[in-house]
Amino acid sequence: MHTTKPRHDTTEGTEGGDAAVGTRDRIVRAAARLLQRQGYEGTGIKQIARDAEATLGSVYHFFPGGKQELAVAAIRHGEQEFADMLRAGLAADDDPAQAVVACTLLLATTLRESDWTDGCPVAATALETVGRAPDIQRACAEAIGHWTDLVSDKLCDGGLAEDTAKELAGATISTLEGAELTAQVLRSEEPLLAAGRHLARLIRTYQ
Amino acid sequence: MHTTKPRHDTTEGTEGGDAAVGTRDRIVRAAARLLQRQGYEGTGIKQIARDAEATLGSVYHFFPGGKQELAVAAIRHGEQEFADMLRAGLAADDDPAQAVVACTLLLATTLRESDWTDGCPVAATALETVGRAPDIQRACAEAIGHWTDLVSDKLCDGGLAEDTAKELAGATISTLEGAELTAQVLRSEEPLLAAGRHLARLIRTYQ
DNA sequence: GTCTATACCCCGATAGAC
DNA sequence: GTCTATCGGGGTATAGAC
């Protein structure tokens, strides 16, 4: 049944490389990827354990709160990965408008190369759990807030007033979120590219 | 167990009123609402049957293709409801920029009054089924395309060139989609209101 | 910390009486 | 068309040996 057997990690604690990843990390990473692609309800703990090459016992050892606690950790992990990508895009150009365009290009490439499966790491889970799993919803809200701050800082650096930057950053994250959803459903980069063009145009009206 | 019993409809075929709604319609409506709030994987056929005051046998009688076929019908139903709301908003003002603002206000009010549960009728299901249920994904894509056409027509009526209108309409729908998701997660109207302001500003740069 | 086995429940789907 | 009963499988979660 299993194509890969659970592994006994004797190298725990060495950390740092790619080879020696602790069991807990493997579980969180597998959960994050599955939540991104299948959402919360569509992802089973058994599947997470299988993908992480861990056993069910290990999952409940590290996450005694069960699926919800694991989902919160996975969302936080996805938040970091997405933040890294945003930082990379925003650093690509001094001009905030051009930097946002760079972000949309990064997202579009990642999406196309994953055959349109790797979109926003929190969107699917967030929509499924709105009003039904407060802990998870809070983690999703914090992720969105964090990403917004990254964009807001970039806009401030580009010379925009702080209030303007904050509001514009919120709209930018919303737009990226919606454009990525649309791109996935339509299997096309166009929505993300169009979002980039229009966001740049909008930002320039404030410069 | 059941608080409401299945009903024997002897008035099938009269149609038109609110009182005599056929079994099939009740099933589709219940499915549409549940998919909107809980997504595809989070919604069970048994729950749909219960909410629709129908039996499992009736569900499979009308939808022999099972859950997927029912989901396609439910998505198409949600598409119509959302289109009606868009049409109402777009008709509220001759100026396309102001009309889009009216749409965001309508969405914000609906969202707040439903305690942030009634967002886009296709978003959750779409994200869960990308690359995994082609029929459902196609229905979601068609819904987005239909909504985009409604906005595009309004922009054309407002005097924009057809190419510009189409691209701008796509960006508008993406933005509304993302802003509604964000508003639900943050439990705030602000993302939708900000989206409205910025979309109006963007549209005016083309007028 | 890791692993197996299992309890208990609900899932989608079907069969067949009415 | 409507209804009940049920099948086979998978879901989350737990117990307890190692």
Side-chain angles (χ1 to χ4, degrees):
Chain A
M1 193 73 78
H2 286 192
T3 57
T4 51
K5 302 202 181 79
R7 21 192 279 196
H8 287 266
D9 279 310
T10 54
T11 51
E12 305 284 322
T14 62
E15 291 292 333
D18 224 317
V21 180
T23 302
R24 205 194 110 106
D25 266 26
R26 289 202 316 277
I27 293 169
V28 171
R29 285 173 203 228
R33 179 125 311 162
L34 288 169
L35 288 189
Q36 175 183 43
R37 296 181 176 173
Q38 311 179 336
Y40 182 74
E41 300 286 352
T43 301
I45 295 195
K46 285 177 181 171
Q47 185 185 8
I48 294 171
R50 224 183 307 127
D51 281 26
E53 298 179 34
T55 61
L56 206 53
S58 291
V59 174
Y60 280 96
H61 169 72
F62 289 110
F63 302 96
K67 194 180 181 181
Q68 296 207 5
E69 185 185 347
L70 172 52
V72 169
I75 290 296
R76 297 214 172 108
H77 181 84
E79 169 191 328
Q80 291 303 325
E81 282 196 346
F82 198 82
D84 288 343
M85 175 174 278
L86 273 184
R87 267 188 285 260
L90 292 175
D93 203 304
D94 274 348
D95 174 37
Q98 273 307 114
V100 168
V101 171
C103 288
T104 63
L105 294 176
L106 264 180
L107 292 177
T109 300
T110 303
L111 214 49
R112 179 171 41 73
E113 288 181 349
S114 69
D115 197 28
W116 318 103
T117 60
D118 291 354
C120 171
V122 323
T125 300
L127 282 173
E128 285 175 312
T129 58
V130 162
R132 315 175 74 234
D135 290 354
I136 300 175
Q137 183 170 352
R138 199 172 309 121
C140 294
E142 287 169 2
I144 291 176
H146 182 190
W147 302 335
T148 304
D149 289 344
L150 291 178
V151 174
S152 179
D153 288 350
K154 179 71 182 186
L155 293 175
C156 277
D157 290 350
L160 272 69
E162 190 173 330
D163 288 356
T164 307
K166 278 189 177 166
E167 190 186 299
L168 198 46
T172 299
I173 293 298
S174 285
T175 300
L176 293 181
E177 207 67 65
E180 193 155 34
L181 184 156
T182 306
Q184 287 189 263
V185 175
L186 302 186
R187 299 178 66 85
S188 162
E189 292 178 300
E190 234 302 291
L192 275 166
L193 303 185
R197 286 193 294 270
H198 288 123
L199 280 174
R201 188 179 177 104
L202 181 63
I203 292 170
R204 292 210 178 91
T205 68
Y206 288 97
Q207 285 176 322
Chain B
M1 194 75 78
H2 286 192
T3 56
T4 53
K5 300 203 182 79
R7 23 191 278 196
H8 286 266
D9 279 308
T10 55
T11 52
E12 304 286 322
T14 62
E15 291 293 335
D18 224 314
V21 181
T23 303
R24 205 195 108 104
D25 266 26
R26 290 203 314 279
I27 293 168
V28 171
R29 286 172 204 230
R33 178 123 315 158
L34 289 169
L35 287 189
Q36 176 182 42
R37 295 181 176 173
Q38 311 178 337
Y40 182 74
E41 300 286 353
T43 301
I45 295 195
K46 286 174 181 170
Q47 185 186 7
I48 294 171
R50 225 183 305 128
D51 281 25
E53 297 178 35
T55 60
L56 206 52
S58 292
V59 174
Y60 279 96
H61 170 72
F62 289 110
F63 302 95
K67 194 180 182 182
Q68 296 208 4
E69 186 185 346
L70 172 53
V72 169
I75 291 295
R76 296 213 173 108
H77 181 83
E79 170 192 329
Q80 291 303 324
E81 282 195 346
F82 198 83
D84 288 343
M85 177 174 277
L86 273 184
R87 267 187 285 261
L90 292 175
D93 202 304
D94 274 347
D95 173 36
Q98 273 308 115
V100 167
V101 170
C103 288
T104 62
L105 293 176
L106 266 179
L107 292 177
T109 300
T110 304
L111 214 50
R112 179 172 39 75
E113 288 181 350
S114 68
D115 197 28
W116 318 103
T117 60
D118 292 353
C120 171
V122 324
T125 301
L127 282 173
E128 284 174 311
T129 58
V130 162
R132 311 174 76 232
D135 291 353
I136 301 175
Q137 183 170 352
R138 199 171 310 120
C140 295
E142 287 168 4
I144 291 176
H146 183 191
W147 302 336
T148 304
D149 289 344
L150 290 178
V151 174
S152 179
D153 288 350
K154 180 72 181 185
L155 294 175
C156 278
D157 290 350
L160 272 68
E162 192 174 329
D163 287 358
T164 307
K166 279 189 176 165
E167 189 186 299
L168 198 46
T172 301
I173 294 298
S174 285
T175 300
L176 292 181
E177 208 67 66
E180 193 155 32
L181 184 155
T182 307
Q184 287 189 263
V185 175
L186 301 187
R187 300 178 64 86
S188 163
E189 292 179 299
E190 235 301 294
L192 274 166
L193 303 185
R197 286 193 295 271
H198 288 123
L199 281 174
R201 187 179 177 107
L202 180 63
I203 292 171
R204 292 210 178 90
T205 67
Y206 288 98
Q207 286 177 322

